[in-house]
Amino acid sequence: MRKPFVAGNWKMNLNRAEAVALATAVAAIARENAGVEVGIIPPFVYIDAVVGAVNKAPLGVGAQDVYFEKSGAFTGEISTAMLADLHVKYVLVGHSERRHVLGENDALLNKKLHCVLNAGLTAILCVGETLEQRKAEKTFDVCRTQLVEGLKGVDAAKASQLVVAYEPVWAIGTGLNATKEQAQEVHAFIRKELAGILSQAAAEGMRIQYGGSVKASNAAELMSQPDVDGALVGGAALKAEEFAGIVAAAGKSKA
Ligand code: PGA
């Protein structure tokens, strides 16, 4: 049985006080939903303050990105050691905004992923197709390539440190979520690919989150699908009440 995992990606939002207030509210949500793994992924500069606000609640803190070098002359970058030092648990690798706005490619993301795993942290590898790719019926090809290239050289023994997020690019921040059938179809495909890339056991144990316009009102439906093991939430993660609804829906549908 895979424990559902709901994480809030705060992206480039909030100020310090707002981040601390939201983390405090989500800490309470996490305490009330023991059946769900809950995470928050604030901007780098607020990680330290947010970790303090979480205190001892069962709430993991993540980072939105990382650089793959250990240390040195890499102005503006952040290492896994720095993140581990702040008690960070998860790192997003290959979020669609990193791929499509910041131009990160699969080879770079593979280096980042190895670095995260070697540091003992959990990588959330994000994959997903654009609208043009979906229209051209390339969804499976795109997801397969992003998985194969992103996970190149990864040992199946590291599967417990891996989460995949399926985030169709056309659904991110648009209010247009995938239907439950569309999500399930791609999630099942991803799990099958993971079995080939890693192992059957690894694939069965790994959580595959859905991301893209998840809200309290559509979470239950999406999470009712057998291969949808949680959500990676953007906009709706910035409102505690909305996020609480998503976490509760994940707990209920997988109970
Ligand atoms: P959204 O973002 O929930 O605002 O669509 C999801 C994501 O980018 O992780």
Side-chain angles (χ1 to χ4, degrees), residues 148-231:
V148 168
E149 298 300 320
L151 294 170
K152 205 170 245 172
V154 172
D155 195 314
K158 298 258 187 198
S160 63
Q161 284 171 257
L162 278 169
V163 173
V164 171
Y166 169 57
E167 298 203 300
V169 180
W170 48 271
I172 297 178
T174 58
L176 260 185
N177 60 283
T179 63
K180 62 181 195 302
E181 292 83 7
Q182 286 172 324
Q184 171 57 27
E185 182 185 34
V186 182
H187 281 233
F189 171 79
I190 289 172
R191 201 174 305 284
K192 184 168 70 66
E193 289 298 306
L194 290 173
I197 298 167
L198 299 169
S199 71
Q200 187 66 35
E204 278 168 19
M206 279 173 64
R207 274 86 55 88
I208 305 174
Q209 298 175 314
Y210 168 79
S213 297
V214 178
K215 313 180 263 281
S217 59
N218 62 19
E221 188 174 301
L222 287 159
M223 243 89 70
S224 70
Q225 301 303 296
D227 288 293
V228 179
D229 307 312

Side-chain angles (χ1 to χ4, degrees), residues 45-67:
V45 290
Y46 303 137
I47 289 174
D48 207 17
V50 160
V51 167
V54 165
N55 197 6
K56 292 192 170 56
L59 171 60
V61 177
Q64 298 174 16
D65 187 27
V66 75
Y67 197 55

Side-chain angles (χ1 to χ4, degrees), residues 7-11 92 95-97 126 165 167-169 171-176 210-215 231-238 246:
N9 171 13
W10 295 356
K11 308 192 182 185
L92 294 182
H95 187 277
S96 82
E97 286 140 25
C126 306
E167 298 203 300
V169 180
I172 297 178
T174 58
L176 260 185
Y210 168 79
S213 297
V214 178
K215 313 180 263 281
L232 183 56
V233 187
L238 296 171
I246 296 167

Side-chain angles (χ1 to χ4, degrees), residues 100-168:
H100 298 289
V101 183
L102 285 308
E104 296 193 357
N105 62 30
D106 286 319
L108 172 65
L109 297 173
N110 179 249
K111 286 185 188 170
K112 292 187 176 194
L113 186 114
H114 277 282
C115 186
V116 170
L117 298 181
N118 291 338
L121 306 175
T122 293
I124 304 176
L125 176 65
C126 306
V127 302
E129 82 286 0
T130 63
L131 186 57
E132 292 67 38
Q133 290 165 335
R134 176 162 279 263
K135 283 186 181 153
E137 296 182 1
K138 294 218 165 80
T139 296
F140 292 154
D141 289 345
V142 169
C143 291
R144 180 191 292 118
T145 301
Q146 290 175 344
L147 290 170
V148 168
E149 298 300 320
L151 294 170
K152 205 170 245 172
V154 172
D155 195 314
K158 298 258 187 198
S160 63
Q161 284 171 257
L162 278 169
V163 173
V164 171
Y166 169 57
E167 298 203 300

